[in-house]
Amino acid sequence: MELHSEDVDQGSELSIQNQKIYSELLAKKKRLEVLKRKDPRFETFLQEHINGLESLDNEDMSDEDGTSNHDLLSFTDITPSPNAGKLLSTSTVKSWCQIVKEQQNLSVMRGLLNAYRSACHYGAESNASVSSPAIKNKETFCSILLFMLSEGDNIFRGLLGISSDCKKQTILELKSSKWESVKPMVKSFFTSTLFLLNQFTDADILAYTLNRLRVSLVLFAAFPSLQWKLTEVAVRLWATGGGTLSSCSFLVLRDMSSTFGNDFYDKCLKKTYKAVISRCKAVDPSSINHIEYIKNSYVELCCIDLQRSVKVALASAQKLAAILQLGLQSKEEALMKICSWEYVLCIDLWVKYVSINIKENDLHGLLFPLIQVINGVAKLFAGQRYLPLRVKCIQWLNQLSTSSEIFIPVSSLALDILESSNAQEVGKPVKDDVNLSTTLKLPKYWPKKWEFQEECVLAAVELLCAHFLQWSHHISFPDLATVPVIRLKQYYEKSTVESLRRPVKRLIDQVERNMDFVQRKRDDVSFSPVDQAAADSFLQGVKRDDKSPFIQYYKSITQNAVTRKLSTNGKTSVPNQKKVEGKKRKSPQKLEDASADSEKKIAKISENPSTGSQQVVKRKKQRT
């Protein structure tokens, strides 16, 4: 009736034809009602034909590409709908939304899904469906998207009669006639939404869409092909996005891994692992936080099922060991692979995985290969220029030792770093600085700098403190600290730079004081060294009090290290970076209101449906 009234207001020839057709349909409907009352068999015959048309309609709706050629006219309830090329107004969409929410009318719901598909394909070249209605303005575009994304899940659950907490098995066991009529519409909604996720670039709209799909994940159980399409989209946005978008994508992946069984979980682990490795090919100060996030979230994904994820970890550790073996044979290609961010962050990934889970699970089959690989990398790259890589190796070993409570001898590696600095000469200042958190190999000039000597001393002190802290109250501490103290004193005697001698002297004093304390307590015990349980419980109460002098010393060292890294990252720059001369490119215009909701952003995109064109900036003439 609304479309009819609009046509009458326009006063066109087409509106007169529509009025005639509408009156003829009303007359035919009256005659059908008379025949149904006179002959009950005719009513049965008519109902069979209606069911047949609906089944054909459903087959069209279930097309994988989301295209459908069904007509929205119903024999029992004539509802005018937009035909090919018909503009869809905001008032029509709002009336349809109200009818669907209140009456759950299937024919109107099909019209909304057609309109939703047009909105998702808005501005895309592939939108060539002749049955899709055209969208009149941005308000219509906004109304369709927001209604379907916010209310689609509730409408489908209401039509199917399922609760919000139903399980996967409930969906798979649906075999009623109502499910057969609703299933194609659900598939059409999911297909259009996935197309939207692949076309839109605004992070807020993508995050909102993923959140709404996450509510309906259980319905994906009926569509295995769409499960994998959603996984590919979520993995891409998780790895390449940032902030809220990455978090929403990961929540979708985590929920899907917990819902869709072991086969899906195995595929998801492999897909996300490849995404992590490909994302870690290059590390810079702007991306290091995001890379750290995707590593932590991947470890959380692996923790869902340790028995299955440990297989991926073991296979990865074997590949790391094979590459290291080639590197020990002086294979140049293997050496380049080892001293790369992909190799380093892969080790870091599984170190986190083992550290989190080894206390409650038997992961020693993965722990020992990792220790061997890390030791091999630290010894393979023993030069001064590989200081950042060697520091990372010792940090990994300390982390594994702390989490597994297994002694790993790292003091010799840390003392090698200390002794690699030239303690008798003060380095020359150089203008360019290097961000050590995003570097694996230092430039050639850097070992001659004063900053390199200082970094060697402070890094060695921090690493030795972390190593000694774990065993500071163990009964064997005086024995394991004897040799490191001797080497520390040798360095202290050779060094002539007071600023480098001071932190080493302080470490020596703290370690010797703790050695004397443990030795006195050890002399008073009555149990023999054979009593392993008594030896393990030695001084554990003092360690838990967190008030011993060595623990307080370690806290001060870590606080100074954090302050130093923050100040260093604030003033460092990438070495040998040439300044770009000429005109500056204009940055993309920022939104005036950063906290605008999704509705405003959808409306804004509807005005410019294309993804945006690149600005052509004229270059200046080259200077001779």
Side-chain angles (χ1 to χ4, degrees), residues 44 270 282 304 440 510:
T44 304
K270 294 178 181 178
I304 294 176
L440 296 178
Q510 292 293 334

PDB file of all heavy atoms in Angstrom, residues 44 270 282 304 440 510:
ATOM      1  N   THR A  44      -6.768 -27.482  -0.951  1.00  0.00           N
ATOM      2  CA  THR A  44      -5.622 -28.391  -0.792  1.00  0.00           C
ATOM      3  C   THR A  44      -4.703 -28.327  -2.007  1.00  0.00           C
ATOM      4  O   THR A  44      -3.474 -28.291  -1.892  1.00  0.00           O
ATOM      5  CB  THR A  44      -6.136 -29.820  -0.595  1.00  0.00           C
ATOM      6  OG1 THR A  44      -7.032 -29.847   0.515  1.00  0.00           O
ATOM      7  CG2 THR A  44      -4.990 -30.782  -0.342  1.00  0.00           C
ATOM      8  N   LYS A 270      46.799 -24.171  12.152  1.00  0.00           N
ATOM      9  CA  LYS A 270      47.776 -24.048  11.071  1.00  0.00           C
ATOM     10  C   LYS A 270      47.616 -22.720  10.327  1.00  0.00           C
ATOM     11  O   LYS A 270      48.606 -22.069   9.972  1.00  0.00           O
ATOM     12  CB  LYS A 270      47.610 -25.221  10.106  1.00  0.00           C
ATOM     13  CG  LYS A 270      47.957 -26.571  10.728  1.00  0.00           C
ATOM     14  CD  LYS A 270      47.727 -27.706   9.744  1.00  0.00           C
ATOM     15  CE  LYS A 270      48.050 -29.055  10.400  1.00  0.00           C
ATOM     16  NZ  LYS A 270      47.790 -30.189   9.475  1.00  0.00           N
ATOM     17  N   ALA A 282      58.872  -8.500   9.209  1.00  0.00           N
ATOM     18  CA  ALA A 282      59.538  -7.220   9.477  1.00  0.00           C
ATOM     19  C   ALA A 282      58.990  -6.657  10.773  1.00  0.00           C
ATOM     20  O   ALA A 282      57.785  -6.681  11.008  1.00  0.00           O
ATOM     21  CB  ALA A 282      59.295  -6.244   8.325  1.00  0.00           C
ATOM     22  N   ILE A 304      43.616 -23.979  24.186  1.00  0.00           N
ATOM     23  CA  ILE A 304      42.278 -24.578  24.181  1.00  0.00           C
ATOM     24  C   ILE A 304      42.374 -26.094  24.204  1.00  0.00           C
ATOM     25  O   ILE A 304      41.617 -26.774  24.905  1.00  0.00           O
ATOM     26  CB  ILE A 304      41.486 -24.093  22.942  1.00  0.00           C
ATOM     27  CG1 ILE A 304      41.233 -22.586  23.050  1.00  0.00           C
ATOM     28  CG2 ILE A 304      40.161 -24.844  22.811  1.00  0.00           C
ATOM     29  CD1 ILE A 304      40.540 -21.998  21.849  1.00  0.00           C
ATOM     30  N   LEU A 440      68.262  -7.151  15.316  1.00  0.00           N
ATOM     31  CA  LEU A 440      68.930  -8.416  15.624  1.00  0.00           C
ATOM     32  C   LEU A 440      70.435  -8.339  15.381  1.00  0.00           C
ATOM     33  O   LEU A 440      71.202  -9.024  16.058  1.00  0.00           O
ATOM     34  CB  LEU A 440      68.334  -9.551  14.788  1.00  0.00           C
ATOM     35  CG  LEU A 440      66.871  -9.900  15.045  1.00  0.00           C
ATOM     36  CD1 LEU A 440      66.425 -11.010  14.095  1.00  0.00           C
ATOM     37  CD2 LEU A 440      66.652 -10.309  16.488  1.00  0.00           C
ATOM     38  N   GLN A 510      76.194  -8.026  46.202  1.00  0.00           N
ATOM     39  CA  GLN A 510      74.903  -8.632  46.515  1.00  0.00           C
ATOM     40  C   GLN A 510      74.963 -10.159  46.429  1.00  0.00           C
ATOM     41  O   GLN A 510      74.398 -10.868  47.264  1.00  0.00           O
ATOM     42  CB  GLN A 510      73.826  -8.100  45.558  1.00  0.00           C
ATOM     43  CG  GLN A 510      73.491  -6.627  45.739  1.00  0.00           C
ATOM     44  CD  GLN A 510      72.810  -6.355  47.062  1.00  0.00           C
ATOM     45  OE1 GLN A 510      72.159  -7.225  47.644  1.00  0.00           O
ATOM     46  NE2 GLN A 510      72.966  -5.127  47.560  1.00  0.00           N
TER      47      GLN A 510
END
